Amino acid sequence: MNSSATMTGKRAPTDWHSDDMQRRIRKRYASERRFKALGLAAIILSASFLAFLLVVMVGNGLRGFTQTELPVEIDFPAMTGGASANQFTGPNGAANLQSLGVRDIVNASIEIQYGEEGKELFSGGGWQSVSSQILENPDIVETKTTVYLPAESEIDVAYKGDGSADAEKMVSTLDDKLTTGFNWNFLSNSDATDPMQVGIWGALKGSLITMFITLAIAFPVGVFSALYLEEYAPKNRFTDLIEVSINNLAAVPSIIFGLLGLAVFLNIFGLPRSAALVGGLTLALMTMPVIVISGRNAVKAVPPSIREAALGIGASQMQVVFHHVLPLALPGILTGTIIGMARALGETAPLLMIGMRAFIATPPSGIVEPATVLPVQIFLWSDEVNRGFVEKTSAAIIVLLVFLLTMNALAIYLRNRFETRW
Amino acid sequence: MVNSGTEHTVKAFDTDINELRGMVAEIGGRSEQAIAKAMRALEKHDLKLAAQVVEEDKLIDELEKRIDDLTFQTIALRAPMADDLRELIATFKISGVVERIGDYAKNIAKRVPVIASTHKLGPASLLPSMSNVASELVRDSLEAFARRDADLALEVSERDQVVDDFYTSIFRSVITYMIENPKDIGEAAHLLFIAKNLERIGDHATNVAEMVYFAAKGEPMPERDRGENPTDLLEE
Amino acid sequence: MTELIDSNSSIESPNMTASTAPAISAGDGPLKMTTRNVDVFYGDKQAIKDVSIDVTMDNVTAFIGPSGCGKSTFLRCMNRMNDTIPIARVTGEITLEGEDIYAPDMDVVQLRARVGMVFQKPNPFPKSIYDNIAYGPRIHGLANSKDELDNIVETSLQRAGLWGEVQDRLQDSGTALSGGQQQRLCIARAIAVDPEVILMDEPCSALDPIATAKIEELIHELRGKYAIVIVTHNMQQAARVSQRTAFFHLGTLVEYGVTSEIFTNPTEERTRDYITGRYG
C-alpha cells in the first residue's frame, strides 16, 4: 500500500500499477462475477419452480378436459314413432322435446346395444347432450344416428390408466368402442355428484360476481382514501395512527377477515349466507389496504414540479389532484389493484368462514343468491372420494390460472394505456 | 469612497487591476520625466538631452498600447461592475491622455535645436516656472489616481488656473517682444508654441483629475470657473 | 418622458436603503403590486425581514442576491405559493391593484391566475402543447368556444415567441421540446390566463446561453404588457433585462434602485461588494 505519511503530511504519488492494485482489481472483478452468477442462479431457481408447477398442473389437469365416450346407435323414427323435425323447431321445440322422453329413448337404445346392464356403462346425465343435439339440429329425429355419450366415471378413470381392477377388465372388453372426446360440458356445467357431469361454470360465475363486487367497493374507497391521506389530511399524530393501522391491516391473515364477515355481515346485518355480496364485501375489506398503500406511494411519486406548475396558473387543490396527480398516479394505483385483486381471487379461508362452501348446482343469477368461487370449488373437489374428481380438480386449477392470467393481462393493458411518459 | 478593503473572490482580477495601476504609475512617471528633461534641454541648450527625450517617447507610446490591451482584456474577461468598471474606463482614458502629455514634451524637445544657443529664454523667462507647475499637476493628478483621492483631484483641477495664468503672461510678453524684435520672430514663435504645449499639458492633467474624480465618486466633476480667455487679449 | 432619470440633474437618485419606502419617481408608470413591512417565518426561523418594495407596470424588476438571501422566498409570497408550506407564516401587507392579497376574502386560485409564475426548471404538463396552453383558460372559463380557445392558444404562443416553431405540431407532447422551448411554453402557459403580473424564479438557470438570450429578448417584448419580476443569481442577466434592481442580503432588502445606477454606482457597501465579486 502506498502509505507514506511523511512529516510534512504530503502523500507519495499513488502507484496505480502496483501488485496490490492489480490484486484489488482482480478481487473486484471476481466479486462482480460471483454476484452475477448468484443472481442468475436465483432466477433459474424461481423459473424452475414456476415451470415445475405449471408442468404438473397442466399434466394432471389436461385430462380433465377430455372424457371417454361410447357410441350408441339411436333409431329415432322407430323410437319416436315418426316424429318430424319441425316439431322441435321454433318456440314450442323445447316443450315438445320434454314430452318426447329423450331419456327413455336413450336408455332403450343402450339396452339394445349393450344389454340390460348397459346403462351402468354410461354416465347418468349423458342423455341431456342428446336433447341439446336435437334442438340444435332437429333433422336427426328423422334418421338413425350414432351419438357418443360419456362413459361412466370408473370406466373413464380406468381408460385414462388409473382405475380399479374390475374397471380395467371392463375397459379391455370395450376397448375398440371407447373413444376420447373433448369435455365441453366441463366449461358449461356447475357442480354435480357425478364427476363426469361436473363443470366449473357455476364457480366461475360466482368468482366473477364476487370479484366485481370486491372491485366496485375496494377500488373507489381505496383510491379516495389514498388521495385524501396524501393531499388533504393534515400531518399530525392522528393521521400517523391511521397510516400505521392501514399498513398493519394489509398484513392481517385473511381468515380473520372471514371471522369479521361472519360476525358483522351475517350476524349483525343479517345478509344471506353464502351470497356473492357477502363474499365481495369481505374480500373488499381485505383488498382495500393494499390499494390504499400502493395508491399513496403512487401519489407520493408524482413530482412536485407538476403540482407547482398547476398551482401556479391558478388550479384549485381539487383540480390539481384530479387533472394532474391522479392521471400520473394511475399506473401505480392499478398495479396495486392488480396485486390486491389477484390475491382476492385466490382466497379460500375467509369465504369458507362466511359459508360459500355449499353445494351449488346452478350458477348464481344475482348477488344475493348462494354462490361459490373457484378456489372453494377446487377445495371441495379435492376432498371428494371418487377418483374421477382428481383430474377435475387439476383441470379447475388450470381454469383458475387462466382466469388469473386474463385478469392480469387486462389490468396491465389498462395500465399501459394510462401510462403517460414524462 | 476608497477602493480598499476586501479583495475580489477571484484573485486574478486583483492581479490584473494591480498590474494596470502599476503601468499607469509608470507611464505617468515617464511623462513627468520627459517634461523635466525637455525643459532642462531647453534651458541648457543640451541637444543630446533633447534627442534622448524624442527617442524615449517611443517607450511611452508602447506603454500606452500595453495598457490599452490589458484594459480591453480585463473588461472582456472579468465583466467588471460599479467602481471596478469606472476604474477601468478611467485607466483607459488616462493612459491616452498621459501619452499625449508625453507627446507634448517630445514636441518641446524637438524645438530645442531651432532656438539659438546664444539667446537666453528672453521674454519667455517664466517658462521653467510654468513647466514646474505643470509637472506638479501631472504628478499630483496621478497621485490622486493611485490613492483614489477625489479631493486631491478637485484641487488639481483648480490649480490648472495657475498654468493658464502663466500662459497668458508669457503670451503677452512674447508678443510684445515679437513686435519689438521682428528679426527674432522665428525663435519667438517657437517659444510661444512651447508655452502652448505646457498649457496643454496643464489641461491634460486636469482631464486626468476629472477621470479620477469620476472613478472615485461615480459622478462627473462639477464645472469650474475658467479664468481670463487669452483670445480676449487680442482685442486690446 | 422627458423626466427620465437624468444622472446629471439634481433630482435625488431613487436608490433607497432598507426600511424606507422606495420612492417611485416620475416615469415609472402605474403601480401594480406593493409590499409593506413583509416578514416571513419558517417555524421559528425568520427568512424575510421587513421588506417594502413596489412593482410597476412598465419596469422589469430584478431581485438579486447571494444564495439563501430570501429572494425566491419573497417572490413566492407575491402569489401566495408559500401557502403550500404548512410552517410558513407571512406578515405585513402585499397588495395587487390596491387589494390586500392575504385578506380572507381573496380567492387564492384567482390570485394565482392574475399573478402568474414561471419556475426554475421548465415544468410543462405531460400533455400536448395545445392542452398545456389551453388548460389554464379552460379551468378559469376564459373561452366560450373552441375558436376562442384556439385563438388564445395561438396568441399566447406568438407572444412567447414559440408559435413559429410549433404551429404545425400542437398535438405533440409538451415534454418533447427542448429545454429553451419548454420554458417558453411555460411562459406562454402563464400568459394564456391573461395575468397582470408575471413572476419568474431564475427562469434561465437551467438553459444554455442561446435559449437564455431568447428568453431575455422575450422579457423585453413582454415589458409593459405585464409587470414582470425576475429573480436571478446571474448579475449580468439582471443588468441586461431589468430597469429596477433590488439587492437582498440575509433576508433584508439592502438596496433598491434604477438598474444602471445599481451596477455603475451603488450606494450601499454590501451591494458594491456583491456586484463586484468581493462578497464572501
Side-chain angles (χ1 to χ4, degrees), chain A residues 121-146:
Chain A
L121 293 173
F122 287 86
S123 165
W127 60 270
Q128 289 161 340
S129 68
V130 180
S131 301
S132 31
Q133 280 188 43
I134 292 176
L135 279 177
E136 259 178 65
N137 185 11
D139 291 329
I140 59 173
V141 291
E142 299 175 4
T143 61
K144 263 204 278 198
T145 30
T146 309

mmCIF file of all heavy atoms in Angstrom, chain A residues 121-146:
data_model
loop_
_atom_site.group_PDB
_atom_site.id
_atom_site.type_symbol
_atom_site.label_atom_id
_atom_site.label_comp_id
_atom_site.label_asym_id
_atom_site.label_seq_id
_atom_site.Cartn_x
_atom_site.Cartn_y
_atom_site.Cartn_z
ATOM 1 N N LEU A 121 -72.766 -48.682 -17.863
ATOM 2 C CA LEU A 121 -71.524 -48.271 -18.519
ATOM 3 C C LEU A 121 -71.493 -46.768 -18.758
ATOM 4 O O LEU A 121 -70.448 -46.192 -19.042
ATOM 5 C CB LEU A 121 -71.392 -48.993 -19.868
ATOM 6 C CG LEU A 121 -71.179 -50.500 -19.796
ATOM 7 C CD1 LEU A 121 -71.235 -51.068 -21.204
ATOM 8 C CD2 LEU A 121 -69.838 -50.821 -19.168
ATOM 9 N N PHE A 122 -72.708 -46.182 -18.687
ATOM 10 C CA PHE A 122 -72.777 -44.772 -19.088
ATOM 11 C C PHE A 122 -72.966 -43.856 -17.901
ATOM 12 O O PHE A 122 -73.481 -44.238 -16.861
ATOM 13 C CB PHE A 122 -73.939 -44.559 -20.072
ATOM 14 C CG PHE A 122 -73.646 -45.118 -21.415
ATOM 15 C CD1 PHE A 122 -73.908 -46.467 -21.668
ATOM 16 C CD2 PHE A 122 -73.108 -44.329 -22.424
ATOM 17 C CE1 PHE A 122 -73.635 -46.988 -22.924
ATOM 18 C CE2 PHE A 122 -72.854 -44.865 -23.661
ATOM 19 C CZ PHE A 122 -73.112 -46.187 -23.921
ATOM 20 N N SER A 123 -72.578 -42.630 -18.075
ATOM 21 C CA SER A 123 -72.796 -41.592 -17.063
ATOM 22 C C SER A 123 -74.259 -41.217 -17.041
ATOM 23 O O SER A 123 -74.893 -41.087 -18.091
ATOM 24 C CB SER A 123 -71.946 -40.367 -17.399
ATOM 25 O OG SER A 123 -72.369 -39.264 -16.668
ATOM 26 N N GLY A 124 -74.794 -41.035 -15.853
ATOM 27 C CA GLY A 124 -76.225 -40.870 -15.685
ATOM 28 C C GLY A 124 -76.837 -39.721 -16.458
ATOM 29 O O GLY A 124 -77.926 -39.818 -16.996
ATOM 30 N N GLY A 125 -76.146 -38.634 -16.529
ATOM 31 C CA GLY A 125 -76.797 -37.469 -17.140
ATOM 32 C C GLY A 125 -76.482 -37.296 -18.606
ATOM 33 O O GLY A 125 -76.748 -36.237 -19.176
ATOM 34 N N GLY A 126 -75.929 -38.355 -19.197
ATOM 35 C CA GLY A 126 -75.463 -38.200 -20.575
ATOM 36 C C GLY A 126 -76.555 -37.905 -21.573
ATOM 37 O O GLY A 126 -76.306 -37.240 -22.588
ATOM 38 N N TRP A 127 -77.790 -38.366 -21.294
ATOM 39 C CA TRP A 127 -78.870 -38.212 -22.267
ATOM 40 C C TRP A 127 -79.140 -36.732 -22.556
ATOM 41 O O TRP A 127 -79.681 -36.371 -23.596
ATOM 42 C CB TRP A 127 -80.141 -38.885 -21.747
ATOM 43 C CG TRP A 127 -80.619 -38.316 -20.441
ATOM 44 C CD1 TRP A 127 -80.278 -38.720 -19.196
ATOM 45 C CD2 TRP A 127 -81.511 -37.207 -20.269
ATOM 46 N NE1 TRP A 127 -80.895 -37.960 -18.245
ATOM 47 C CE2 TRP A 127 -81.675 -37.012 -18.882
ATOM 48 C CE3 TRP A 127 -82.204 -36.369 -21.133
ATOM 49 C CZ2 TRP A 127 -82.455 -36.031 -18.355
ATOM 50 C CZ3 TRP A 127 -82.998 -35.377 -20.574
ATOM 51 C CH2 TRP A 127 -83.118 -35.211 -19.192
ATOM 52 N N GLN A 128 -78.747 -35.823 -21.641
ATOM 53 C CA GLN A 128 -79.056 -34.414 -21.864
ATOM 54 C C GLN A 128 -78.359 -33.863 -23.104
ATOM 55 O O GLN A 128 -78.852 -32.955 -23.777
ATOM 56 C CB GLN A 128 -78.650 -33.585 -20.647
ATOM 57 C CG GLN A 128 -79.559 -33.836 -19.454
ATOM 58 C CD GLN A 128 -78.917 -33.393 -18.155
ATOM 59 O OE1 GLN A 128 -77.702 -33.250 -18.107
ATOM 60 N NE2 GLN A 128 -79.724 -33.191 -17.149
ATOM 61 N N SER A 129 -77.189 -34.429 -23.412
ATOM 62 C CA SER A 129 -76.493 -33.927 -24.603
ATOM 63 C C SER A 129 -77.267 -34.278 -25.853
ATOM 64 O O SER A 129 -77.205 -33.554 -26.848
ATOM 65 C CB SER A 129 -75.076 -34.492 -24.666
ATOM 66 O OG SER A 129 -75.130 -35.873 -24.917
ATOM 67 N N VAL A 130 -77.996 -35.393 -25.809
ATOM 68 C CA VAL A 130 -78.823 -35.753 -26.968
ATOM 69 C C VAL A 130 -79.916 -34.716 -27.157
ATOM 70 O O VAL A 130 -80.201 -34.277 -28.265
ATOM 71 C CB VAL A 130 -79.427 -37.162 -26.784
ATOM 72 C CG1 VAL A 130 -80.281 -37.510 -27.978
ATOM 73 C CG2 VAL A 130 -78.335 -38.189 -26.588
ATOM 74 N N SER A 131 -80.538 -34.306 -26.048
ATOM 75 C CA SER A 131 -81.575 -33.277 -26.142
ATOM 76 C C SER A 131 -81.044 -32.025 -26.808
ATOM 77 O O SER A 131 -81.651 -31.472 -27.719
ATOM 78 C CB SER A 131 -82.094 -32.895 -24.750
ATOM 79 O OG SER A 131 -82.626 -33.994 -24.095
ATOM 80 N N SER A 132 -79.876 -31.576 -26.339
ATOM 81 C CA SER A 132 -79.356 -30.330 -26.915
ATOM 82 C C SER A 132 -78.987 -30.525 -28.369
ATOM 83 O O SER A 132 -79.131 -29.613 -29.178
ATOM 84 C CB SER A 132 -78.166 -29.804 -26.117
ATOM 85 O OG SER A 132 -77.451 -30.842 -25.541
ATOM 86 N N GLN A 133 -78.544 -31.757 -28.730
ATOM 87 C CA GLN A 133 -78.232 -32.020 -30.143
ATOM 88 C C GLN A 133 -79.485 -31.907 -30.988
ATOM 89 O O GLN A 133 -79.456 -31.383 -32.103
ATOM 90 C CB GLN A 133 -77.631 -33.417 -30.309
ATOM 91 C CG GLN A 133 -76.155 -33.478 -29.954
ATOM 92 C CD GLN A 133 -75.564 -34.829 -30.315
ATOM 93 O OE1 GLN A 133 -75.855 -35.355 -31.374
ATOM 94 N NE2 GLN A 133 -74.779 -35.390 -29.422
ATOM 95 N N ILE A 134 -80.609 -32.437 -30.469
ATOM 96 C CA ILE A 134 -81.864 -32.382 -31.235
ATOM 97 C C ILE A 134 -82.282 -30.929 -31.442
ATOM 98 O O ILE A 134 -82.700 -30.521 -32.523
ATOM 99 C CB ILE A 134 -82.980 -33.158 -30.507
ATOM 100 C CG1 ILE A 134 -82.657 -34.650 -30.508
ATOM 101 C CG2 ILE A 134 -84.334 -32.888 -31.169
ATOM 102 C CD1 ILE A 134 -83.647 -35.485 -29.732
ATOM 103 N N LEU A 135 -82.173 -30.146 -30.386
ATOM 104 C CA LEU A 135 -82.555 -28.736 -30.509
ATOM 105 C C LEU A 135 -81.698 -28.008 -31.527
ATOM 106 O O LEU A 135 -82.170 -27.181 -32.287
ATOM 107 C CB LEU A 135 -82.440 -28.044 -29.144
ATOM 108 C CG LEU A 135 -83.630 -28.268 -28.189
ATOM 109 C CD1 LEU A 135 -83.374 -27.610 -26.854
ATOM 110 C CD2 LEU A 135 -84.906 -27.713 -28.803
ATOM 111 N N GLU A 136 -80.432 -28.378 -31.516
ATOM 112 C CA GLU A 136 -79.521 -27.726 -32.464
ATOM 113 C C GLU A 136 -79.820 -28.129 -33.896
ATOM 114 O O GLU A 136 -79.757 -27.328 -34.811
ATOM 115 C CB GLU A 136 -78.084 -28.154 -32.139
ATOM 116 C CG GLU A 136 -77.300 -27.102 -31.361
ATOM 117 C CD GLU A 136 -75.913 -27.623 -31.044
ATOM 118 O OE1 GLU A 136 -75.137 -27.850 -31.993
ATOM 119 O OE2 GLU A 136 -75.614 -27.814 -29.858
ATOM 120 N N ASN A 137 -80.062 -29.431 -34.065
ATOM 121 C CA ASN A 137 -80.211 -29.966 -35.421
ATOM 122 C C ASN A 137 -81.403 -30.924 -35.455
ATOM 123 O O ASN A 137 -81.238 -32.149 -35.371
ATOM 124 C CB ASN A 137 -78.908 -30.702 -35.790
ATOM 125 C CG ASN A 137 -78.923 -31.185 -37.205
ATOM 126 O OD1 ASN A 137 -79.803 -30.808 -37.988
ATOM 127 N ND2 ASN A 137 -77.978 -32.052 -37.527
ATOM 128 N N PRO A 138 -82.632 -30.364 -35.562
ATOM 129 C CA PRO A 138 -83.839 -31.190 -35.434
ATOM 130 C C PRO A 138 -83.978 -32.311 -36.480
ATOM 131 O O PRO A 138 -84.716 -33.255 -36.292
ATOM 132 C CB PRO A 138 -84.981 -30.187 -35.585
ATOM 133 C CG PRO A 138 -84.368 -28.869 -35.328
ATOM 134 C CD PRO A 138 -82.943 -28.963 -35.749
ATOM 135 N N ASP A 139 -83.231 -32.211 -37.544
ATOM 136 C CA ASP A 139 -83.365 -33.206 -38.612
ATOM 137 C C ASP A 139 -82.999 -34.607 -38.163
ATOM 138 O O ASP A 139 -83.434 -35.586 -38.768
ATOM 139 C CB ASP A 139 -82.498 -32.826 -39.815
ATOM 140 C CG ASP A 139 -83.059 -31.587 -40.498
ATOM 141 O OD1 ASP A 139 -84.293 -31.425 -40.458
ATOM 142 O OD2 ASP A 139 -82.254 -30.781 -41.027
ATOM 143 N N ILE A 140 -82.192 -34.686 -37.134
ATOM 144 C CA ILE A 140 -81.725 -36.038 -36.761
ATOM 145 C C ILE A 140 -82.858 -36.928 -36.241
ATOM 146 O O ILE A 140 -82.730 -38.148 -36.194
ATOM 147 C CB ILE A 140 -80.596 -35.993 -35.713
ATOM 148 C CG1 ILE A 140 -81.056 -35.278 -34.421
ATOM 149 C CG2 ILE A 140 -79.375 -35.290 -36.267
ATOM 150 C CD1 ILE A 140 -80.041 -35.355 -33.305
ATOM 151 N N VAL A 141 -84.005 -36.309 -35.834
ATOM 152 C CA VAL A 141 -85.079 -37.167 -35.342
ATOM 153 C C VAL A 141 -85.717 -37.996 -36.471
ATOM 154 O O VAL A 141 -86.498 -38.898 -36.229
ATOM 155 C CB VAL A 141 -86.195 -36.369 -34.632
ATOM 156 C CG1 VAL A 141 -85.659 -35.805 -33.329
ATOM 157 C CG2 VAL A 141 -86.690 -35.263 -35.504
ATOM 158 N N GLU A 142 -85.392 -37.648 -37.664
ATOM 159 C CA GLU A 142 -85.946 -38.426 -38.766
ATOM 160 C C GLU A 142 -84.958 -39.461 -39.295
ATOM 161 O O GLU A 142 -85.185 -40.109 -40.298
ATOM 162 C CB GLU A 142 -86.366 -37.482 -39.897
ATOM 163 C CG GLU A 142 -87.441 -36.497 -39.431
ATOM 164 C CD GLU A 142 -87.779 -35.488 -40.505
ATOM 165 O OE1 GLU A 142 -87.237 -35.600 -41.628
ATOM 166 O OE2 GLU A 142 -88.571 -34.588 -40.225
ATOM 167 N N THR A 143 -83.828 -39.584 -38.609
ATOM 168 C CA THR A 143 -82.792 -40.506 -39.112
ATOM 169 C C THR A 143 -82.329 -41.443 -38.018
ATOM 170 O O THR A 143 -82.687 -41.316 -36.851
ATOM 171 C CB THR A 143 -81.570 -39.738 -39.621
ATOM 172 O OG1 THR A 143 -81.037 -39.013 -38.504
ATOM 173 C CG2 THR A 143 -81.939 -38.765 -40.717
ATOM 174 N N LYS A 144 -81.462 -42.360 -38.439
ATOM 175 C CA LYS A 144 -80.762 -43.207 -37.479
ATOM 176 C C LYS A 144 -79.404 -42.596 -37.276
ATOM 177 O O LYS A 144 -78.631 -42.476 -38.232
ATOM 178 C CB LYS A 144 -80.603 -44.627 -38.083
ATOM 179 C CG LYS A 144 -81.686 -45.597 -37.620
ATOM 180 C CD LYS A 144 -81.205 -47.032 -37.727
ATOM 181 C CE LYS A 144 -81.369 -47.556 -39.143
ATOM 182 N NZ LYS A 144 -81.328 -49.009 -39.233
ATOM 183 N N THR A 145 -79.075 -42.200 -36.071
ATOM 184 C CA THR A 145 -77.756 -41.582 -35.858
ATOM 185 C C THR A 145 -77.010 -42.282 -34.741
ATOM 186 O O THR A 145 -77.601 -42.921 -33.879
ATOM 187 C CB THR A 145 -77.882 -40.116 -35.451
ATOM 188 O OG1 THR A 145 -79.080 -39.923 -34.734
ATOM 189 C CG2 THR A 145 -77.837 -39.184 -36.647
ATOM 190 N N THR A 146 -75.707 -42.127 -34.783
ATOM 191 C CA THR A 146 -74.873 -42.638 -33.699
ATOM 192 C C THR A 146 -74.406 -41.463 -32.862
ATOM 193 O O THR A 146 -73.798 -40.525 -33.393
ATOM 194 C CB THR A 146 -73.653 -43.381 -34.278
ATOM 195 O OG1 THR A 146 -74.096 -44.316 -35.238
ATOM 196 C CG2 THR A 146 -72.898 -44.065 -33.164
#
